[in-house]
Amino acid sequence: MATNEVKVLGSWPSPYAIRPRIALNLKSLTYEYIEEKLWEGKSELLLQSNPVYKKIPVLIHGDNKPICESLIIVQYIDEAWSSGPSILPSDPCERAVARFWAAYLDDKWFPAVKSIGVAKGEEAKKAAIAQVEEGLALMEEAYDKCSKGKGYFGGDEVGYLDIAFGSFLGWLRVTEKFNAMKLLDEGKTPGLVKWADRFCSHAAVKDVMPDTDKLAEFGKFVIAKIRAAGAAAEMH
């Protein structure tokens, strides 16, 4: 397949932009990655490709319409290149469970991770940390059930829920670093600790997972902008 047949619009700090890249790597597909520097403004290609949400990631596959939203893109990749290894479980019930937990991570868990960094006051921070830890306990249980004693949520190979959860590991590590704490803890979530190491060293993942120190520097920049915007709002 020619490189220009598949394009991914993404931004290196975004956990969502990692997802389609991992899926394409799992399918051994060649693609062109186009970096969007969102903090400098959105490109014309992005605005044309995703006029509704105006967000990354976007997958452009040949002459087909652009595909938007990270988990929808992963599902599209799995269906469009069905000859490669399956990403979603073949069993309908297992597929539904994987989608359920992926939605939970996006809607509830990762917003709690983000809120730790911008929490106002110790009580708000403690509440956010408690929510993250509660979510990790739930994911430890889910891992035990979904993996069936194998290395990944998807079994022997990285699957849909691995991609959905694993894409957040970079920001989880940054949160741990900023707060001098361990959220993924060997004592509380031993399965997830081993899974995270396995996932990050996987051939389809290791080259697209951002460096923790680089991500931390970007995190400082983002938090400073959020706090400055909040301070400006309070002055009006």
Side-chain angles (χ1 to χ4, degrees), residues 132-183:
V132 171
E133 289 178 333
E134 182 187 335
L136 289 172
L138 289 171
M139 294 311 298
E140 176 79 8
E141 268 183 57
Y143 173 70
D144 191 49
K145 290 174 184 172
C146 294
S147 68
K148 299 172 186 172
K150 295 177 180 174
Y152 300 97
F153 283 92
D156 289 317
E157 187 52 270
V158 167
Y160 180 77
L161 187 49
D162 295 283
I163 295 171
F165 191 15
S167 61
F168 293 134
L169 288 173
W171 281 108
L172 186 65
R173 286 171 175 166
V174 167
T175 305
E176 290 178 329
K177 185 182 174 110
F178 281 172
N179 295 280
M181 63 187 296
K182 271 292 187 191
L183 291 164

